[in-house]
Amino acid sequence: MKIKISDMLDTTDGFDLELPEEGMVSAEKIKEVTMKKIHDTKGASRRGRRISKVGVAAIVAAAVLALSGAAYAVSQWTGFASTEGLTNRQIQELIDSASQTSYQSEDRDGNVTYYDENGNEEFTLTAEEAVAYEQAMIEAKEQAVRDSTTLVDVDTMDMVPTGITELAVNEDGSFEDFIVSNGHMVIFYPEGSQGYDLKAGDTVTLTLPTDEVCYMAYGMTQDGVATECAVVQTAEQSYTFEIPEDGSYCFYIIYYSAGANSFTGGSITVN
């Protein structure tokens, strides 16, 4: 169903939209909620900076994404999933779902129409609205990634991952099997602690066996700062870190191959 954001807009004060955390909502419901907020806001004098139509467009576009079927689909796959208790078929379905992407098209007037991974039309924005929408989505997503971890300062990394999962490592060095998709980061930390207390000269080996050849970045953090990253291509994923100085360390991977892959029997060994 097509919905033009510009149909909703008028010059107005900023406002907050109360959005459901998940689920599918129709375009009509989006418009109803937004118009009610605009109408209620006009009747009240509120202090603060006024925002332009483009600003409102970004807010409403975010509401569209949050309320649309696309947001619902994304909530089913965050880039990481534990495979404990899953059958081989369920694991493969998760891997396949990571390859499904939404897309967009532009008409002669510059209007941009967005579609879900099944080719269903979701909503349409003017060229100006699309720029604001996409920029707002990038900034919101990157901030969400920053807020998702306490183990690393994301801004010390070369780039912001698509998502971050903190994965506890047991005393015996084992951790749960998982699936990870392109651009997602997994940080390994000792259960019950914020990091491994290591000495200069120690070595740590992170092993992630898999059946598929893939590209993987291996890195470590020292006291929350990303300090090292090396990209390797192999099926028998294993990397050994040499600890340069005393400190508290965590170790991470970023999956760089297309789609997704599953890893079983992984471990961390400290020497």
Side-chain angles (χ1 to χ4, degrees):
M1 180 175 294
K2 182 180 293 186
I3 177 171
K4 279 189 76 69
I5 301 299
S6 57
D7 293 341
M8 303 178 186
L9 302 179
D10 197 354
T11 301
T12 183
D13 291 329
F15 57 80
D16 297 322
L17 288 175
E18 295 182 4
L19 307 177
E21 293 183 357
E22 60 181 2
M24 299 179 69
V25 180
S26 68
E28 288 83 357
K29 184 62 176 178
I30 297 168
K31 186 170 182 178
E32 175 188 337
V33 172
T34 306
M35 291 303 294
K36 183 177 187 301
K37 277 290 185 181
I38 291 174
H39 175 76
D40 292 346
T41 303
K42 285 182 177 179
S45 175
R46 303 178 61 183
R47 294 182 179 179
R49 180 170 57 89
R50 296 175 66 86
I51 59 177
S52 67
K53 285 190 176 184
V54 174
V56 176
I59 293 172
V60 179
V64 172
L65 183 67
L67 295 174
S68 69
Y72 182 84
V74 169
S75 70
Q76 307 306 306
W77 173 256
T78 63
F80 176 93
S82 170
T83 56
E84 183 177 357
L86 298 183
T87 65
N88 289 337
R89 179 178 178 179
Q90 290 171 324
I91 291 173
Q92 188 59 50
E93 287 175 349
L94 274 176
I95 292 174
D96 292 342
S97 72
S99 300
Q100 297 176 356
T101 58
S102 58
Y103 62 97
Q104 63 202 59
S105 65
E106 183 176 334
D107 64 20
R108 294 180 179 179
D109 297 325
N111 299 315
V112 181
T113 299
Y114 294 81
Y115 303 84
D116 65 19
E117 67 275 9
N118 297 315
N120 299 316
E121 185 177 322
E122 295 191 297
F123 56 90
T124 298
L125 305 178
T126 67
E128 185 181 35
E129 292 164 353
V131 170
Y133 164 74
E134 291 172 12
Q135 182 61 35
M137 291 304 97
I138 290 172
E139 292 175 358
K141 185 172 183 178
E142 289 186 350
Q143 188 58 50
V145 172
R146 291 184 180 93
D147 295 340
S148 69
T149 180
T150 60
L151 297 179
V152 62
D153 179 355
V154 174
D155 291 321
T156 64
M157 303 179 64
D158 291 337
M159 60 179 293
V160 179
T162 59
I164 296 178
T165 297
E166 298 178 348
L167 194 59
V169 180
N170 300 325
E171 289 186 2
D172 62 1
S174 65
F175 45 83
E176 63 183 322
D177 299 339
F178 63 88
I179 297 173
V180 66
S181 66
N182 176 263
H184 198 89
M185 177 180 181
V186 182
I187 305 180
F188 302 90
Y189 68 98
E191 187 173 22
S193 177
Q194 286 289 99
Y196 291 90
D197 291 325
L198 301 173
K199 302 294 184 180
D202 289 345
T203 61
V204 177
T205 299
L206 172 56
T207 303
L208 286 168
T210 179
D211 295 331
E212 301 291 335
V213 175
C214 57
Y215 283 98
M216 193 99 74
Y218 284 91
M220 65 181 181
T221 68
Q222 180 182 1
D223 300 318
V225 177
T227 63
E228 180 181 328
C229 185
V231 180
V232 298
Q233 181 189 27
T234 179
E236 184 58 36
Q237 294 284 356
S238 181
Y239 191 87
T240 298
F241 301 90
E242 296 184 1
I243 304 305
E245 59 185 23
D246 297 358
S248 177
Y249 290 83
C250 291
F251 304 89
Y252 67 84
I253 58 108
I254 302 177
Y255 186 74
Y256 279 140
S257 286
N261 200 3
S262 63
F263 298 89
T264 59
S267 65
I268 285 184
T269 304
V270 180
N271 294 312

